[in-house]
Amino acid sequence: MNEARRKLLLGSLRAFDLAALILSFALAMILSAAQSGGVFFVEAFSVKIKLWNFIIFAALLVVWHLNFAMCGLYDSKRLSTLRAETVEVIKAVALTGVSLIAAAKLGGLRIVTPVFVILFLACSAAILVAGRLAGRCILARFRGHGRNLHFVVILGTNARAIEFARKIEARAEFGYRIVGFVDDQWAGTGDFLRTGYRLCCDFESLPSFLRNNVVDEVAILLPLRSFYEHTAHVTALFEQHGITMRFDPDLFNLKIARPRTDVFDGDPHITAHCGGFEGWSFLLKRFIDLIGSFVLLMLLAPIFLVVATLITATSAGPIFFRQKRVGLSKRQFVMYKFRTMVPNAEQLQSELLHLNEMTGAAFKIRNDPRVTRIGRFLRKTSIDELPQLFNVLMGDMSLVGPRAMSVRDYKYFSADWQRRRFSVRPGITCLWQVNGRNSIPFERWMELDMQYIDKWSLWLDLKILARTIPAVLRGSGAA
């Protein structure tokens, strides 16, 4: 696709998205009015005609457009699936809802009720996804008739190159056509020729082939170590011809790390992201942490006061227990809990190692002699954990994440794969918390942490938070 046509289609998509948001806003207003018997519509219309509200709405459209762009909705989706694009749309719409609520609070828009927001989000998500589905169907039809095709040459005839070709052929709707493979004769050439794919030329005749054939893109799938100089030479050749180059990012057979392109001081790099959360979902997670911890601290203030009084009245020592814990990327921070043990509990731990009931690096004793009377109740109900909300507010922890490990326990980690848990912020609750806590062996605990990191989503966080309440009420695994 030439640049002018690409810009035209991209501009049309941007216009469609803005029109979809305006239509969704109007539909939400009409449906809300129908639900309230029409009274809401009269009030909403009288509010809408004010100049200030038009300014707010125009500003919202600009914010929503920037939000869609930052969420990647206007990046090339030629090799993306509808499912992946739908997820991106839903994320962008969710952030649109957050900005709408914020604008309503700041601008005093009474029409933006919870029902209105839900209707707006549902309508906009449905229209945007339907529009993209229609666009994909139209492009697939064009490509099926030989229009909007992308001709690709594949460098290399190894197993990875053949796998890439089969993926392209399996998705005809992408509009890619394989011109052929480029490689010199080698031990595996015979096996390659038996696949039925075409070897269009060798490296020596590649310049001549490019001069006389249509090639939009090249996929470079040569072994990096043995073909480095060769690859450097041919990439310079493709650059001269203005041909798009696609590199295999999995150069080292990484099993977990997610490759991506990045820019550092103006220079492009390929980075392998091995853990942690990123993007708008991560920012929304942090926003939920901030709001959630602040609101909970306000609501639980009376309980804090009662617990502080009980601790002071029943045992000597401070109200809060402070301990260095290992957090994000192994940064150490001071974690706060209500004190449930005698003041010199850490000094006594070495004398109780033979009573440890946990495997691995963790240390737990069901009937720990260091625990005070009120401390047993606080532990059983998990009330002792509540001061960690201060850590969440300060950014050292999250509401949901792997449990923060003490410096002592960290030193006893036996396997490096377990340390990947430190690639994210520790949390107050996690999969370990809602699946039995201290009744779970240490190895299984670490596996649950890896499962959380690999499958993380905001929805998973919400499910864990919902499951935490009954787990605390049961007191399952608490010690």
Side-chain angles (χ1 to χ4, degrees):
M1 184 185 301
N2 62 49
E3 188 65 16
R5 188 180 300 173
R6 189 189 71 83
K7 288 182 177 180
L8 176 62
L9 288 176
L10 189 58
S12 301
L13 180 60
R14 293 175 189 269
F16 169 81
D17 287 349
L18 289 178
L21 291 172
I22 295 171
L23 177 60
S24 299
F25 197 93
L27 287 173
M29 190 161 28
I30 294 170
L31 293 172
S32 297
Q35 191 220 15
S36 61
V39 176
F40 176 81
F41 182 76
V42 175
E43 180 184 356
F45 185 76
S46 65
V47 173
K48 276 276 294 158
I49 60 175
K50 296 178 181 178
L51 177 61
W52 172 243
N53 292 285
F54 274 118
I55 294 173
I56 292 177
F57 189 69
L60 271 175
L61 287 177
V62 174
V63 171
W64 291 342
H65 174 72
L66 294 174
N67 169 37
F68 278 25
M70 288 187 289
C71 286
L73 264 60
Y74 304 124
D75 296 340
S76 174
K77 305 297 178 187
R78 190 173 192 121
L79 296 180
S80 176
T81 62
L82 177 62
R83 178 179 178 181
E85 193 171 5
T86 300
V87 170
E88 288 181 351
V89 169
I90 291 173
K91 288 179 180 178
V93 168
L95 287 171
T96 298
V98 172
S99 61
L100 176 61
I101 294 170
K105 295 296 182 184
L106 294 173
L109 299 179
R110 289 180 296 168
I111 64 171
V112 182
T113 63
V115 172
F116 179 92
V117 172
I118 292 172
L119 290 171
F120 171 73
L121 295 179
C123 291
S124 54
I127 295 172
L128 290 169
V129 171
R132 278 155 173 76
L133 175 60
R136 284 176 174 269
C137 292
I138 293 170
L139 286 174
R141 188 172 182 85
F142 268 98
R143 290 163 183 167
H145 287 83
R147 305 287 299 276
N148 189 227
L149 298 180
H150 219 59
F151 294 94
V152 60
V153 165
I154 300 176
L155 259 64
T157 51
N158 50 37
R160 189 168 291 175
I162 295 170
E163 180 185 2
F164 177 77
R166 286 173 176 161
K167 285 181 179 179
I168 287 179
E169 291 180 333
R171 304 301 297 267
E173 68 273 18
F174 289 162
Y176 272 77
R177 296 293 183 269
I178 299 173
V179 178
F181 290 72
V182 177
D183 205 348
D184 291 331
Q185 295 289 327
W186 65 292
T189 300
D191 294 332
F192 165 77
L193 293 175
R194 281 190 285 273
T195 63
Y197 287 117
R198 177 192 173 208
L199 187 64
C200 57
C201 67
D202 56 20
F203 289 110
E204 185 178 354
S205 56
L206 178 59
S208 176
F209 180 84
L210 293 177
R211 295 185 200 111
N212 298 288
N213 290 275
V214 177
V215 177
D216 296 300
E217 185 173 319
V218 58
I220 301 175
L221 293 140
L222 295 168
L224 178 65
R225 185 173 61 180
S226 53
F227 283 86
Y228 174 77
E229 291 187 4
H230 224 36
T231 303
H233 174 72
V234 294
T235 52
L237 177 64
F238 292 127
E239 189 177 38
Q240 291 171 359
H241 280 263
I243 295 172
T244 300
M245 290 172 275
R246 181 179 300 277
F247 298 92
D248 180 11
D250 193 10
L251 300 174
F252 306 104
N253 295 316
L254 300 173
K255 295 179 175 58
I256 298 172
R258 302 182 295 277
R260 67 182 184 191
T261 57
D262 206 350
V263 177
F264 178 74
D265 195 24
D267 296 324
H269 293 264
I270 295 177
T271 61
H273 190 64
C274 300
F277 314 136
E278 55 185 348
W280 283 100
S281 295
F282 165 73
L283 293 178
L284 190 55
K285 175 181 172 70
R286 182 60 191 145
F287 177 78
I288 293 171
D289 284 341
L290 284 171
I291 300 301
S293 58
F294 180 78
V295 171
L296 287 172
L297 284 170
M298 294 298 102
L299 294 175
L300 297 172
I303 295 178
F304 273 65
L305 183 60
V306 171
V307 173
T309 303
L310 291 173
I311 293 174
T312 303
T314 57
S315 64
I319 295 171
F320 295 107
F321 170 67
R322 300 173 177 84
Q323 186 184 52
K324 279 192 175 182
R325 294 291 177 107
V326 182
L328 178 63
S329 298
K330 307 178 190 68
R331 293 176 177 86
Q332 293 186 14
F333 68 98
V334 177
M335 192 185 77
Y336 298 94
K337 297 176 71 173
F338 281 122
R339 183 174 60 83
T340 60
M341 294 185 176
V342 295
N344 62 336
E346 289 193 275
Q347 288 73 30
L348 296 174
Q349 181 173 325
S350 59
E351 301 174 12
L352 302 172
L353 289 175
H354 64 286
L355 298 176
N356 187 16
E357 298 172 4
M358 291 287 288
T359 58
F363 179 85
K364 291 288 181 181
I365 304 174
R366 189 170 300 277
N367 296 309
D368 197 320
R370 302 170 297 166
V371 179
T372 63
R373 283 183 301 160
I374 188 64
R376 293 194 188 283
F377 170 76
L378 297 177
R379 286 182 164 217
K380 186 69 176 176
T381 57
S382 295
I383 292 176
D384 64 317
E385 310 275 0
L386 294 181
Q388 292 173 47
L389 290 168
F390 289 111
N391 291 112
V392 176
L393 198 61
M394 292 185 292
D396 295 321
M397 295 179 64
S398 177
L399 292 175
V400 183
R403 294 281 288 181
M405 303 294 290
S406 69
V407 176
R408 176 262 173 200
D409 290 349
Y410 174 74
K411 292 179 180 178
Y412 284 91
F413 271 57
S414 58
D416 282 335
W417 67 266
Q418 298 167 351
R419 293 181 172 85
R420 190 159 63 92
R421 71 192 305 278
F422 300 105
S423 65
V424 301
R425 281 191 180 96
I428 297 178
T429 185
C430 59
L431 288 174
W432 171 80
Q433 180 95 3
V434 299
N435 281 282
R437 299 169 71 177
N438 299 323
S439 61
I440 295 177
F442 181 78
E443 287 286 331
R444 178 56 183 159
W445 175 4
M446 295 299 105
E447 290 172 2
L448 287 172
D449 286 345
M450 298 306 111
Q451 179 182 325
Y452 171 75
I453 294 171
D454 293 336
K455 297 183 178 180
W456 176 79
S457 67
L458 289 172
W459 178 241
L460 177 59
D461 273 8
L462 294 175
K463 287 197 292 185
I464 292 174
L465 287 171
R467 291 177 59 190
T468 298
I469 298 173
V472 169
L473 293 175
R474 291 193 306 269
S476 55

